[in-house]
């Protein structure tokens, strides 16, 4: 009975947040076209309103741990579902995501992503894509911001293992900014697939920054170790609720 009720609540919640996305996208559109701040404000309102509605509607309680960066940094984050995107976007002042190029053609999301300064990547052309990514990111950093990249390149279910790709190391070395790793357990409650949302405390934790200057291989080993170890600890904590 509980699962059936929770599933129904999840369906209602998901329908409402996509309707809300459409409404905000239309209402803020003139401002977003005229100024990037309009696009940023619309997305901030959306993320914060969804995060505030979650505890009441589906029982997920979002929690940010650590210190969200406010300076120019690369945030290398564990990616488990749409929820960690919302939480990171809400937590930092000027977020910009490395994103799949196909998302540019998504209604509303694509237009706002362009205005936010998100950097699209063609994942089918690895060498050329990485070189262009560094070039595009350097151009976007003419304005202050926090660049979010998912080092594994896709959503990964809690407990599953996937190699860390070289793109995050290339950005870290090419830009010369500190890297802030971020761990999470949100996939326990808001999975990457399916409708059912499970009650619990969903955590995104910003970890100690990795200073610039490490060699590429050393950086990747350190990044993977700290993100995976802390994510595993958060997953264990979440499963014990």
């Amino acid at each position: 009975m509980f699962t059936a009720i929770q599933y129904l609540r999840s369906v209602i919640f998901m329908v409402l947040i996509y309707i809300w996305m459409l409404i905000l996208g239309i209402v803020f559109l003139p401002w977003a076209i005229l100024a990037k701040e309009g696009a940023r404000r619309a997305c901030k309102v959306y993320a914060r309103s969804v995060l505030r509605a979650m505890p009441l509607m589906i029982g997920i309680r979002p929690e940010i741990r650590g210190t969200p960066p406010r300076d120019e940094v690369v945030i290398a984050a564990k990616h488990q579902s749409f929820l960690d995107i919302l939480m990171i976007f809400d937590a930092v002042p000027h977020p910009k995501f490395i994103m799949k190029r196909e998302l540019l053609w998504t209604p509303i999301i694509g237009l706002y992503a362009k205005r936010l300064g998100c950097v699209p990547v063609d994942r089918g052309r690895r060498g050329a894509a990485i070189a262009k990514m560094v070039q595009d990111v350097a151009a976007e950093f003419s304005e202050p911001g926090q660049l979010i990249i998912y080092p594994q390149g896709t959503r990964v279910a809690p407990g599953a293992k996937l190699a860390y790709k070289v793109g995050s190391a290339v950005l870290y070395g090419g830009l010369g900014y500190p890297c802030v790793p971020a761990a999470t357990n949100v996939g326990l409650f808001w999975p990457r697939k399916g409708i059912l949302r499970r009650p619990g405390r969903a955590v995104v934790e910003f970890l100690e920054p990795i200073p610039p200057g490490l060699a590429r291989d050393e950086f990747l080993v350190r990044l993977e170790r700290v993100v995976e170890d802390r994510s595993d600890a958060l997953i264990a904590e979440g499963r014990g609720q």
Side-chain angles (χ1 to χ4, degrees), residues 1 13 57 65 103 114 137 174 195-196 203 239:
M1 176 63 73
F13 174 76
M57 296 190 68
R65 296 181 186 174
L103 290 176
K114 289 180 183 178
V137 167
I195 296 295
L196 180 63
V203 179
R239 285 177 172 157

Side-chain angles (χ1 to χ4, degrees), residues 2 29 44 55 65 96 132 212 218 222:
F2 173 77
L29 184 59
K44 286 284 188 181
R65 296 181 186 174
K96 306 175 183 183
K132 189 173 188 309
E218 183 183 1
R222 180 170 172 179

Side-chain angles (χ1 to χ4, degrees), residues 184-202:
T184 191
N185 67 358
V186 301
L188 291 175
F189 313 105
W190 185 317
R192 64 194 183 105
K193 295 181 179 179
I195 296 295
L196 180 63
R197 304 293 181 254
R198 297 175 175 86
R201 186 171 298 281

Side-chain angles (χ1 to χ4, degrees), residues 6-215:
Q6 186 66 21
Y7 189 88
L8 178 60
R9 293 171 67 186
S10 300
V11 170
I12 294 170
F13 174 76
M14 295 304 294
V15 169
L16 289 178
I17 68 170
Y18 283 112
I19 292 174
W20 183 230
M21 180 188 292
L22 178 62
I23 292 171
L24 286 179
I26 294 171
V27 169
F28 278 86
L29 184 59
W31 189 11
I33 291 174
L34 291 173
K36 289 185 176 181
E37 179 58 28
R40 185 178 299 113
R41 188 67 60 86
C43 296
K44 286 284 188 181
V45 169
Y46 177 75
R48 188 154 300 177
S49 57
V50 171
L51 295 176
R52 288 180 176 176
M54 285 194 315
L56 297 174
M57 296 190 68
I58 52 175
I60 297 179
R61 305 180 304 279
E63 179 182 340
I64 294 292
R65 296 181 186 174
T67 303
R70 305 190 66 82
D71 299 327
E72 291 179 312
V73 298
V74 174
I75 299 174
K78 186 76 173 177
H79 186 24
Q80 293 180 348
S81 73
F82 184 49
L83 179 53
D84 54 67
I85 295 177
L86 294 175
M87 292 177 67
I88 293 174
F89 193 94
D90 183 57
V92 302
H94 296 93
K96 306 175 183 183
F97 288 86
I98 300 291
M99 57 182 283
K100 296 184 294 184
R101 185 170 297 277
E102 306 91 89
L103 290 176
L104 290 178
W105 305 108
T106 305
I108 299 179
I109 293 176
L111 184 147
Y112 277 85
K114 289 180 183 178
R115 298 300 290 152
L116 288 171
C118 295
V119 180
V121 174
D122 184 352
R123 297 195 300 181
R125 300 167 57 208
R126 294 180 182 273
I130 290 174
K132 189 173 188 309
M133 177 176 66
V134 175
Q135 178 183 349
D136 292 345
V137 167
E140 282 299 336
F141 263 107
S142 61
E143 297 180 6
Q146 298 78 42
L147 180 73
I148 300 103
I149 185 169
Y150 294 112
Q152 293 169 295
T154 188
R155 296 168 297 173
V156 181
K161 300 300 178 183
L162 187 67
Y164 279 50
K165 299 180 184 297
V166 72
S168 56
V170 172
L171 280 180
Y172 162 82
L175 294 173
Y177 293 128
C179 174
V180 177
T184 191
N185 67 358
V186 301
L188 291 175
F189 313 105
W190 185 317
R192 64 194 183 105
K193 295 181 179 179
I195 296 295
L196 180 63
R197 304 293 181 254
R198 297 175 175 86
R201 186 171 298 281
V203 179
V204 168
E205 182 171 353
F206 294 98
L207 308 175
E208 286 295 318
I210 300 175
L214 297 184

